[in-house]
Amino acid sequence: MRSFLDDLLGASGLDAMVAHRRTVPGAPAAFAEPERPLPQALAAALGARGIERLWSHQAEAIDRVRAGADVLAVTPTASGKTLVFALPVLEAALTDPDTRALFVYPTKALAQDQVAALRALALAASPLRPPSIEIYDGDTPAHRRRRIRAEPPNVLITNPDMLHHGILAHHAEWAPFLGRLRHVVLDELHVYRGVFGAHVHHILARLVRLAARAGSRPRFLAASATIGNPGEFAALLAGRPFEVVRASGAPTAARHVAFLNPVGVSPYTVAVRVVAAAAGAGLRTIAFTKARRVTELLHQWLVRQEPSLAPRVAPYRAGYLPQERREIESRLFRGDLLAVLTTSALELGIDVGGLDLCVLCGYPGSLMSSWQRIGRTGRKGREAAVVLIAMPDALDQYVVRHPELFFGDAFERAVLDPWNPMVAASHLVCAAAEEPLTVADLGDGGGPAARIADGLVDDGRLRRDASGTRWYAFRRRPHRDVHPRSAGEPFTIVERASGRVLGTIDGMRVYHECHPEAIYLHAGTSYRVLALDEDRREVAVRAVRAEHYTVVLGEKETEILERLREDRIGEHPVGLGRLKVTVRIRGYQKKRLFGGETISEHPLTAPPLTFETVGFWIELPSEWPAAFAARELHFMGGIHAAEHAMIGLYPLLAIADRGDVGGISYTLHPQLGAPAVFLYDGVPGGAGLAERGHTDLRRLLERTLEHVASCGCEDGCPACIQSPRCGNGNKPLDKAACLLALGGMLGRETVVAGEATAEPAVSPAPAAPTTAPRRRHGITRRAAAGD
């Protein structure tokens, strides 16, 4: 693999782009035995699979599970985490056939991938009467669902959606299963963050509540990729403390890593070149992109450049139908495909066989995701290669300039807000419909659950009994209106001519990606959006040959609804609170498929998108606009640039996509009566990111100032202060003013008209009037101008 990289970088003229190279050495296995030997049947079953000894982390986890602890294994990809929970569960089922276990996977594809291995292990351990294992999800036929409910298996495999809609909503039919439930397994725990994590928190709380009423108290077994706060995050998600197993005993293969930083050429052109060269050399390759649209575009470009590869390369992303996804997974596992271009959808633990090369088309946004994706290669002890192709944005450029960050152990934190009011309210109603809520369920009257329940009573969604100790739901089945993966009901995308369902899209993104005349990409084909039906929540599309894609334009504003916390950074007030954000889409651009140049701009009528969320703001002195103007610096351009740069580096604090955080800059905010910069969670109700940023604001500002100051551009560029999502076309921006603003926020610059402790780092921009009207700017992916 080292030779392949040498040849690739030399022959393709990519050597000038190399920003960093190193080899990450492999590590030998570390073995251990559980304190009490495994049952002979299980040990023999493992031996039949070629497993003679357990790795040290597997043995440690099994001992902790046997001791009655809730256990979380946090080890790398391909470290055998499945056995950490499979062995204790099968041991319990072999000892007591009446025990039951629930395995919860975040996706149906991952559940399908795991069930065959679990069944094979169960059969090998008990050939005559193996523990029964069944999948219960949206793809399970109706007749089989009835049989599973009537005769619950020892191990039931499902996902959060079906647990919510199909099991908890019909818990009376599942009482025998719930009453014998001993273990709840949560695989890929790190996926349950943000809004999805808030939903899962309440789904698990309802599961435990109903199991207790049925007579059982299950323990949790969980597995996660490496994150910065595994124990804290698991406890927040499941509502109980976990014992964390961190030290992996699994062997690792050597990996040869190259960072490429393209200059003067599109990173996507470089990505296509690398994938084409690897596939042409017969190397099995997986290329990860940051967005669904990019996945589809790269596939189109690759096939156009190398038509002979068309039968052996494929795109893969969320939104595909189950049969499409599983066919691609199967072809990749069999080796029929030489390359797959994918979003994070293939980041999870689906076994796609041993791969040789991982191409990261842009830094994935976190160390966790990076090493999850890299872990797809080098299995079975083979050396592998990794090529990271940096995008011209702040986060990618920061990582390329700080490679020690990429190869270090300072993993980002995972966050969620279990008391997102929209999410929590919907699940309290569901819980009350399952079994009336009690004072014990809601906790302290001053706590969030009790406050939300009081609001639900006022809204007529719950009814309190005369004694004031029980709460009832008015509806029998409120579950159908709750969608665990989004803040609202999704839209279905349908090909008008055939009636074929192409996929789904959530209500926060539909106006950005599926407005009339938008180009929607699916499975390598371009579709023009013909109509968006809000009442039916349906998008009608038609296949077309298009040489462009579309991007919306817009603007937004925010209002402070409630102050939750007030602090200071230096002399500047900093607030955390509930905000109301309004997004107004005003048009869209057509951009050339190759190159991304703007072809044309068109007006677009869409309803304003208004939602409440959580955010923080930095209040700036009213004298600053005049002080900046005295230095011939554009104040609005400075704070707008600082907002862009802060959001660009936000994922260094917590695992998040850039679009998960929005921002708005004001020269004069009407409520504060002063200039301000707002950053907020880009989803209704909040996701915990703003609170994390508020807590660690000084570190965010310090990193942002260092990064902008170290960028070699003169006036600002995509690597520091420009944003591809800015609804105002990155105007105005002023790099020198940005440096002064960040320095002033940190107290390193005295921003007083006529004097400062340091000169601006670059030449000043043209003067701007101090009475410029207020402007609104921001870049959230789900609900923002410019996305």
Side-chain angles (χ1 to χ4, degrees):
M1 296 309 300
R2 184 195 297 273
S3 298
F4 166 74
L5 275 185
D6 291 340
D7 294 343
L8 171 71
L9 300 177
S12 303
L14 301 178
D15 51 340
M17 302 180 189
V18 176
H20 184 76
R21 276 193 72 174
R22 79 168 62 181
T23 296
V24 180
F31 297 100
E33 296 295 331
E35 292 180 2
R36 186 176 75 250
L38 291 173
Q40 185 176 357
L42 268 182
L46 292 176
R49 299 177 59 184
I51 303 173
E52 300 296 337
R53 303 175 64 189
L54 294 178
W55 290 323
S56 57
H57 66 278
Q58 295 171 327
E60 178 187 354
I62 289 170
D63 286 337
R64 295 186 183 217
V65 172
R66 285 170 164 176
D70 296 287
V71 177
L72 169 63
V74 185
T75 54
T77 304
S79 60
K81 289 194 286 286
T82 299
L83 291 182
V84 165
F85 42 77
L87 293 177
V89 166
L90 292 179
E91 180 181 39
L94 291 171
T95 304
D96 179 3
D98 287 335
T99 63
R100 298 294 182 262
L102 181 68
F103 283 44
V104 182
Y105 291 96
T107 66
K108 289 185 288 187
L110 187 55
Q112 290 284 347
D113 181 71
Q114 295 291 326
V115 67
L118 289 170
R119 283 175 175 161
L121 185 60
L123 181 62
S126 181
L128 297 180
R129 294 192 63 183
S132 53
I133 301 170
E134 296 288 350
I135 289 183
Y136 193 84
D137 63 20
D139 296 338
T140 306
H143 71 277
R144 194 162 188 83
R145 291 192 201 182
R146 288 192 294 270
R147 180 178 175 183
I148 291 172
R149 288 195 298 269
E151 301 176 20
N154 293 106
V155 176
L156 184 68
I157 299 175
T158 190
N159 54 60
D161 313 75
M162 183 55 79
L163 178 56
H164 165 72
H165 288 289
I167 298 177
L168 301 183
H170 305 275
H171 63 94
E173 301 176 40
W174 292 91
F177 176 82
L178 294 173
R180 298 169 183 167
L181 188 59
R182 181 168 174 179
H183 295 110
V184 176
V185 171
L186 302 173
D187 200 8
E188 306 290 353
L189 188 84
H190 57 277
V191 173
Y192 301 124
R193 58 187 188 271
V195 169
F196 187 27
H199 279 287
V200 173
H201 165 88
H202 291 284
I203 291 171
L204 295 177
R206 287 163 45 211
L207 170 67
V208 170
R209 176 174 178 255
L210 292 174
R213 279 164 166 72
S216 70
R217 297 186 179 278
R219 310 306 299 177
F220 282 87
L221 313 181
S224 172
T226 306
I227 55 178
N229 59 332
E232 174 191 0
F233 179 71
L236 187 60
L237 180 72
R240 59 178 67 186
F242 281 71
E243 293 188 10
V244 181
V245 176
R246 300 171 183 263
S248 174
T252 57
R255 293 186 175 94
H256 305 283
V257 185
F259 287 2
L260 303 184
N261 197 10
V263 178
V265 61
S266 167
Y268 301 127
T269 300
V270 176
V272 169
R273 193 183 305 174
V274 172
V275 174
L283 298 179
R284 299 184 62 206
T285 301
I286 188 166
F288 287 95
T289 73
K290 291 185 176 184
R292 301 190 309 172
R293 174 179 287 140
V294 173
T295 296
E296 302 286 1
L297 289 174
L298 284 184
H299 178 253
Q300 289 188 10
W301 295 338
L302 178 61
V303 170
R304 290 188 185 186
Q305 179 175 309
E306 298 289 345
S308 63
L309 293 176
R312 305 203 66 185
V313 298
Y316 183 105
R317 63 168 174 79
Y320 284 12
L321 297 178
Q323 57 267 32
E324 292 179 296
R325 295 196 304 269
R326 287 170 194 160
E327 173 61 19
I328 296 171
E329 293 159 12
S330 177
R331 293 182 64 201
L332 189 59
F333 184 84
R334 294 194 308 264
D336 295 346
L337 289 177
L338 280 174
V340 63
L341 302 107
T342 180
T343 60
S344 60
L346 271 180
E347 179 181 307
L348 302 182
I350 298 170
D351 189 357
V352 292
L355 302 177
D356 303 304
L357 173 65
C358 176
V359 179
L360 302 176
C361 303
Y363 176 62
S366 70
L367 293 178
M368 179 208 71
S369 288
S370 297
W371 288 101
Q372 277 281 97
R373 298 176 186 191
I374 291 170
R376 312 303 270 148
T377 64
R379 298 188 177 195
K380 300 178 182 178
R382 296 202 308 267
E383 289 192 356
V386 180
V387 177
L388 167 62
I389 303 169
M391 297 292 133
D393 63 48
L395 185 60
D396 283 43
Q397 294 301 310
Y398 187 92
V399 171
V400 166
R401 294 173 190 167
H402 300 82
E404 69 282 358
L405 174 74
F406 191 87
F407 298 98
D409 58 1
F411 282 75
E412 306 86 353
R413 299 167 66 87
V415 300
L416 66 91
D417 180 5
W419 296 108
N420 175 309
M422 295 177 61
V423 173
S426 65
H427 285 281
L428 284 179
V429 173
C430 291
E434 292 156 4
E435 288 285 345
L437 294 169
T438 66
V439 173
D441 294 323
L442 297 179
D444 181 7
R451 291 198 303 269
I452 292 173
D454 288 341
L456 290 169
V457 171
D458 294 339
D459 293 341
R461 297 171 66 187
L462 289 182
R463 181 179 69 241
R464 197 170 185 174
D465 69 3
S467 68
T469 60
R470 294 169 74 85
W471 289 257
Y472 297 81
F474 281 94
R475 295 179 57 194
R476 185 183 177 192
R477 292 279 188 268
H479 306 71
R480 67 193 66 181
D481 295 331
V482 180
H483 304 275
R485 296 176 189 268
S486 66
E489 185 180 356
F491 285 69
T492 302
I493 302 169
V494 180
E495 186 179 28
R496 176 171 286 180
S498 65
R500 183 169 66 102
V501 174
L502 299 181
T504 60
I505 187 168
D506 65 71
M508 292 298 293
R509 291 187 5 250
V510 69
Y511 294 102
H512 291 77
E513 296 186 24
C514 291
H515 57 81
E517 294 301 312
I519 296 297
Y520 177 78
L521 297 172
H522 176 83
T525 300
S526 296
Y527 294 85
R528 176 173 287 117
V529 175
L530 304 176
L532 193 164
D533 190 326
E534 296 179 34
D535 294 332
R536 298 175 60 187
R537 301 193 78 80
E538 184 175 287
V539 177
V541 301
R542 177 170 59 88
V544 295
R545 290 181 60 86
E547 297 297 327
H548 69 277
Y549 60 95
T550 50
V551 177
V552 299
L553 301 171
E555 59 182 20
K556 55 187 178 174
E557 61 185 11
T558 189
E559 175 187 348
I560 301 171
L561 299 178
E562 179 185 3
R563 296 172 184 260
L564 302 175
R565 195 180 308 162
E566 294 185 355
D567 299 291
R568 303 185 75 85
I569 182 165
E571 299 299 318
H572 310 295
V574 176
L576 175 75
R578 292 194 309 111
L579 308 176
K580 182 172 78 171
V581 177
T582 301
V583 181
R584 295 181 176 84
I585 297 173
R586 57 179 171 81
Y588 69 94
Q589 291 178 333
K590 293 183 178 180
K591 289 183 173 289
R592 201 173 305 281
L593 202 59
F594 298 94
E597 302 89 354
T598 299
I599 301 172
S600 58
E601 186 171 318
H602 307 267
L604 177 63
T605 301
L609 303 176
T610 299
F611 63 96
E612 295 182 12
T613 188
V614 176
F616 69 88
W617 58 91
I618 309 169
E619 187 176 334
L620 304 175
S622 300
E623 299 81 10
W624 273 27
F628 276 64
R631 290 172 178 73
E632 297 187 328
L633 298 175
H634 197 302
F635 175 66
M636 183 64 214
I639 59 174
H640 183 201
E643 168 214 317
H644 281 187
M646 290 167 66
I647 293 175
L649 297 186
Y650 208 96
L652 297 174
L653 299 183
I655 300 170
D657 292 331
R658 179 166 183 158
D660 290 340
V661 180
I664 308 177
S665 302
Y666 287 89
T667 56
L668 177 65
H669 188 272
Q671 289 174 281
L672 298 175
V677 176
F678 286 76
L679 271 67
Y680 58 85
D681 289 348
V683 295
L689 292 167
E691 185 170 3
R692 176 65 188 160
H694 177 265
T695 300
D696 211 0
L697 178 56
R698 178 170 291 278
R699 185 157 67 118
L700 176 61
L701 288 170
E702 289 172 346
R703 282 177 163 173
T704 304
L705 176 60
E706 183 271 332
H707 179 67
V708 176
S710 66
C711 185
C713 70
E714 183 175 349
D715 298 318
C717 68
C720 58
I721 64 173
Q722 293 178 10
S723 166
R725 302 295 181 186
C726 181
N728 289 76
N730 285 304
K731 297 178 182 178
L733 293 178
D734 185 330
K735 183 176 179 179
C738 172
L739 291 169
L740 182 59
L742 290 169
M745 293 177 196
L746 286 165
R748 298 180 183 179
E749 302 271 7
T750 303
V751 185
V752 178
E755 59 182 271
T757 59
E759 293 298 322
V762 298
S763 301
T770 60
T771 57
R774 185 183 76 199
R775 305 183 188 226
R776 307 180 184 100
H777 307 273
I779 54 172
T780 69
R781 178 167 299 170
R782 293 189 181 88
D787 185 1

